Amino acid sequence: MTWETVIGLETHVELATKTKIFCSCTTAFGGEANTHCCPVCTGMPGTLPVLNESVLEFAVKAGLALNGDITRFCRFDRKNYFYPDLPKAYQISQLYLPIVRDGRVPIRTPSGLEKVIRIHELHMEEDAGKLVHDPWLDQTKCDYNRCGVPLIEIVTEPDFRSAEEVVAYLEKLRSTLQYLGVSDCKMQEGSLRCDVNLSVRPAGSEELGTRTEMKNLNSFKAISRSIAYETRRQIELIEEGKRVIQETRRWDDNKDATFAMRSKENAQDYRYFPEPDIPPLELSEEYLDHLRAGLPEMAEEKMTRYQADYGLPEYDTQMLTGQKALADFFESTVALGADPKQAANWIMGQVLGQLSARGLEAKDMKLSPRTLVHLIELVRTGKLNRNTAVKVFEAVFADDGDVDGYVKAHGLEQVSDPGAVAGAVEAAFAANPQSVADFHSGKEKAFGFLVGQVMRQLKGRADPKAVNEAVRKKLDEAKCGLDK
Ligand SMILES: [Zn+2]
């Protein structure tokens, strides 16, 4: 039988506000345990939460960018449960009137499939603290620094059919939220994490199978691998005549498998009720218009503009706008006078290459646009050849080092003196008479060999075009000598 995988996602995104959702504690990542806390976020009796206005603004902006309907009258609800990372024994969230409903996110997968993922809702809530288990001391330590950090949870309809679609959606979501400036979406710091709801059914069936939920996945790799594993596990169960149990499962990256955590709760298990400490919110049309007008230029708009203004191919514009910081970097290099296509080539080749080799995102890069512009200029004016420039780039990339200083210290200026090139050609011909003879007997390959020998003598610093010309000229002269 052919099976179809059905996936829905719940994505938690930490908002990039300076302070927490209901108090003025910092949201800064890290810090010594329990130093970013106050009586409000640690749930002391008698304290009262006050909504941070930026949280509302960021949530509405995200809702607008995801093409959702903004709930004009919305409020918070209490989700009651006890867990040591939640000192109040309830989480302030939204159940009945979430701030955004019915969004739409168009995606395109690497294999070219285009579809729209429907957003069921987006709601605001507070994050919980962190528990650190110490197996040696048989103790658990509670760190409440993350308690009360603002989150939005974005819930999709079960519209995904493969891990590839899920990753395409998450990349789109991450790019959108970064362009908006509402979150840094750093998966490694947990500011974007996913719960994957997955079920399988016979291909062509309309009915949904029993689903399981995998919690807190925080890398694209873990998401893809857990989807593959869980799909296989469910199909095998059904084919053996067993049934899938609705439950929450934990993905173990080291064991490459999911494990049952607990049976899945339903909304009624949480005894939700309207939050009595925070008044409902009424959003005016003027407020929404104001936020709508302030939305920045998004990736698609930049792509269209780069194609129109700089004549760049669609592929380039897609690469350049994949991360907001990269698009900003590109725009700065062009503003500083670099040729747009040259800048695009360097960014897509060298910059992305270095970022990926170092496991960095564009916004963490120290390299300045000015440094890249200078390198491009050195190549254009013939002071460095392209290969040497790439080496210099790699050397200065990490710390935005001094290009001229590096070139000077390593003697990398391009050899432009025709006498030096001629001398090297002379020497290469003298040392390799067989290759010269081979060339004249029709072996084109010998040409490349001779060019290589000349480049080697000049330590790779010569302009390849000039060397090519000099070798060609010398071969012609030698040919004339043979003819006579
Ligand atoms: Zn606080």
Side-chain angles (χ1 to χ4, degrees):
M1 187 184 309
T2 327
W3 296 90
E4 182 178 57
T5 312
V6 178
I7 303 166
L9 279 193
E10 293 166 24
T11 309
H12 286 91
V13 179
E14 276 183 6
L15 297 179
T17 54
K18 290 198 176 63
T19 55
K20 292 187 180 179
I21 183 167
F22 301 123
C23 64
S24 55
C25 291
T26 177
T27 55
F29 181 77
E32 206 182 312
N34 299 310
T35 54
H36 300 169
C37 313
C38 73
V40 176
C41 52
T42 50
M44 294 297 144
T47 57
L48 283 174
V50 177
L51 179 64
N52 177 345
E53 201 181 333
S54 303
V55 173
L56 177 67
E57 182 187 319
F58 284 12
V60 171
K61 278 185 174 171
L64 291 172
L66 301 178
N67 311 300
D69 294 335
I70 309 299
T71 309
R72 298 282 301 280
F73 181 85
C74 85
R75 62 179 191 212
F76 286 91
D77 301 295
R78 254 184 214 191
K79 180 180 182 181
N80 296 281
Y81 66 96
F82 175 76
Y83 201 66
D85 64 2
L86 186 77
K88 287 201 293 260
Y90 60 84
Q91 179 192 31
I92 302 181
S93 180
Q94 295 190 292
L95 178 74
Y96 301 105
L97 295 168
I99 182 76
V100 181
R101 278 193 271 227
D102 299 330
R104 296 168 71 77
V105 179
I107 61 163
R108 181 157 69 169
T109 66
S111 53
L113 174 77
E114 292 188 33
K115 69 189 279 186
V116 171
I117 302 300
R118 293 168 301 153
I119 303 289
H120 178 73
E121 66 166 69
L122 177 157
H123 64 253
M124 300 175 275
E125 62 186 27
E126 57 183 334
D127 206 352
K130 195 173 83 177
L131 300 180
V132 186
H133 305 290
D134 187 334
W136 287 101
L137 295 173
D138 198 21
Q139 284 180 347
T140 294
K141 294 173 180 167
C142 304
D143 176 3
Y144 295 126
N145 281 355
R146 305 313 292 161
C147 243
V149 165
L151 299 176
I152 49 176
E153 180 174 342
I154 303 161
V155 183
T156 73
E157 300 291 349
D159 285 350
F160 304 97
R161 296 292 172 268
S162 68
E164 191 192 33
E165 294 175 16
V166 169
V167 170
Y169 161 81
L170 287 172
E171 281 176 345
K172 181 71 175 286
L173 183 66
R174 182 171 66 172
S175 153
T176 303
L177 298 175
Q178 286 176 344
Y179 272 89
L180 288 172
V182 304
S183 174
D184 60 19
C185 295
K186 283 189 184 166
M187 295 185 93
Q188 69 279 14
E189 290 183 6
S191 59
L192 188 155
R193 49 191 196 257
C194 276
D195 302 342
V196 174
N197 288 294
L198 186 148
S199 62
V200 297
R201 65 183 175 193
S205 162
E206 289 293 313
E207 219 172 302
L208 289 170
T210 305
R211 71 192 153 108
T212 59
E213 181 180 26
M214 292 178 283
K215 282 270 190 208
N216 281 333
L217 297 162
N218 64 354
S219 75
F220 289 155
K221 202 172 111 201
I223 290 166
S224 298
R225 283 165 55 196
S226 63
I227 288 173
Y229 175 87
E230 188 59 17
T231 302
R232 219 169 39 237
R233 190 188 72 88
Q234 292 190 10
I235 292 173
E236 279 172 15
L237 273 178
I238 298 170
E239 287 184 340
E240 285 168 13
K242 299 175 184 158
R243 59 187 194 92
V244 176
I245 299 165
Q246 184 173 334
E247 64 189 354
T248 301
R249 298 181 68 85
R250 179 177 58 84
W251 168 250
D252 188 322
D253 230 356
N254 300 317
K255 300 206 173 84
D256 230 350
T258 63
F259 297 93
M261 273 169 76
R262 56 175 188 257
S263 64
K264 171 86 183 150
E265 307 83 356
N266 289 312
Q268 58 264 36
D269 295 328
Y270 290 114
R271 309 290 188 275
Y272 275 100
F273 62 85
E275 169 59 49
D277 287 342
I278 301 173
L281 305 164
E282 246 190 295
L283 310 183
S284 68
E285 203 51 51
E286 292 79 58
Y287 176 74
L288 297 184
D289 282 345
H290 165 72
L291 291 184
R292 228 176 252 126
L295 291 179
E297 185 184 37
M298 305 296 282
E300 282 84 4
E301 295 162 306
K302 281 192 192 290
M303 281 179 64
T304 312
R305 180 163 65 84
Y306 293 175
Q307 289 173 43
D309 290 4
Y310 306 133
L312 294 179
E314 189 189 347
Y315 175 81
D316 291 22
T317 61
Q318 197 176 355
M319 298 285 281
L320 293 171
T321 56
Q323 303 176 53
K324 175 165 189 296
L326 204 64
D328 290 345
F329 186 89
F330 168 72
E331 289 180 19
S332 301
T333 53
V334 173
L336 287 166
D339 172 65
K341 181 60 189 160
Q342 282 297 324
N345 287 348
W346 274 91
I347 291 171
M348 292 188 297
Q350 277 64 47
V351 174
L352 284 177
Q354 285 298 308
L355 288 174
S356 130
R358 291 160 198 263
L360 288 175
E361 289 181 29
K363 63 182 174 315
D364 301 321
M365 157 170 96
K366 286 193 192 148
L367 185 81
S368 67
R370 196 167 292 281
T371 301
L372 181 59
V373 172
H374 185 47
L375 265 175
I376 293 174
E377 187 60 13
L378 290 177
V379 174
R380 193 186 67 80
T381 53
K383 297 211 172 65
L384 284 184
N385 71 36
R386 185 73 161 72
N387 288 342
T388 311
V390 168
K391 286 194 192 105
V392 176
F393 174 87
E394 287 165 3
V396 302
F397 177 83
D399 299 310
D400 195 31
D402 171 14
V403 167
D404 291 336
Y406 187 87
V407 167
K408 195 161 257 173
H410 293 81
L412 295 175
E413 296 96 335
Q414 180 153 292
V415 177
S416 46
D417 170 17
V421 174
V425 171
E426 199 73 51
F429 274 55
N432 302 284
Q434 188 57 48
S435 298
V436 178
D438 284 350
F439 179 81
H440 288 126
S441 63
K443 290 182 186 156
E444 261 296 324
K445 258 190 182 166
F447 179 75
F449 175 78
L450 286 166
V451 168
Q453 291 303 305
V454 176
M455 284 304 269
R456 178 186 280 193
Q457 288 223 18
L458 297 168
K459 300 198 171 68
R461 292 184 288 125
D463 173 11
K465 205 166 133 233
V467 171
N468 266 292
E469 278 167 12
V471 169
R472 183 73 64 188
K473 190 159 156 249
K474 182 80 180 165
L475 282 168
D476 286 347
E477 285 169 15
K479 179 95 181 353
C480 290
L482 286 178
D483 290 346
K484 269 175 201 162

